[in-house]
Each structure stands twice: as C-alpha cells, then as structure tokens.
Amino acid sequence: MVKTHALIGANILSGGHSPVVVLAEEIARTHHERWDDQGYPSGLRGRQIPVSGRIVAVADVLDTLTSERPYKRAWTMDAALSEIRRQSGRQFDPDVVAALERHLART
C-alpha cells in the first residue's frame, strides 16, 4: 500500500503544463527509485533515474531520519549522514551524496 504513493502522486500531477508541475510529477514518480535498481515503482537504476528524483531521494531520507515520527525517535544528524553514506552507491547516487557532503562542509 505504501509503495503506491509515488504513482498516485505522479498521476495527480500528470498532464500539467507548468515546468514546476512537470518537475513535481517527475519527482513524485522517481524519488523512491534506487541507484541499484531495487526501488519502485519502475525499478530504474543509476542514471536512468532523473537527477531530480536522485536529489529528492537523499533529501527525503535525511528528513525522515532526522524527524521525530509517532513510530520513531529522530536520529541525530551524524547518524543520519552515516546511514546516507552507507547507502551511497546502493540506494543513492554517489555524486548526490558527495554534493550533500560538500554543501554541509560549507555550512
């Protein structure tokens, strides 16, 4: 059931003409694809995944891990970044992970 949200969101946004809505549809559809092709809904791998989806995948997981939820405590930023690094080349595009690290080093 949870895995249907990517397609449901993309379908809601489909047919838009605004560049922002077209991008939002792309992100909704691809943000749970994985670098190693084990994601959903289409099992895309590597650079088959639009860069927008690859970026949002990392941002989404970082936000999820560091946010408290009714079913879990928030992770520390260090723990979340360690997990994202661990998943680089598996779940995440290594270049996107490296870009996140460069950004965080500057802040």
Side-chain angles (χ1 to χ4, degrees):
M1 179 68 85
V2 170
K3 290 184 176 184
T4 63
H5 83 276
L7 284 178
I8 290 170
N11 289 339
I12 289 168
L13 294 162
S14 70
H17 300 289
S18 159
V20 172
V21 175
V22 171
L23 179 61
E25 178 187 353
E26 179 179 88
I27 290 168
R29 185 176 310 282
T30 63
H31 74 286
H32 282 295
E33 299 290 354
R34 288 176 49 119
W35 191 251
D36 64 6
D37 82 1
Q38 299 301 302
Y40 61 89
S42 299
L44 301 177
R45 106 177 275 131
R47 299 204 186 283
Q48 293 175 327
I49 306 163
V51 70
S52 62
R54 290 182 266 152
I55 292 168
V56 172
V58 172
D60 182 48
V61 169
L62 182 62
D63 177 65
T64 298
L65 293 177
T66 58
S67 298
E68 186 146 336
R69 304 290 166 97
Y71 54 86
K72 72 164 199 70
R73 293 184 185 264
W75 292 27
T76 65
M77 182 62 80
D78 286 343
L81 291 172
S82 178
E83 178 63 13
I84 287 171
R85 283 185 206 104
R86 194 175 73 74
Q87 291 299 325
S88 179
R90 295 180 194 144
Q91 183 172 355
F92 305 121
D93 176 347
D95 292 337
V96 173
V97 174
L100 171 65
E101 298 218 75
R102 285 191 306 273
H103 171 73
L104 292 174
R106 290 191 307 259
T107 60

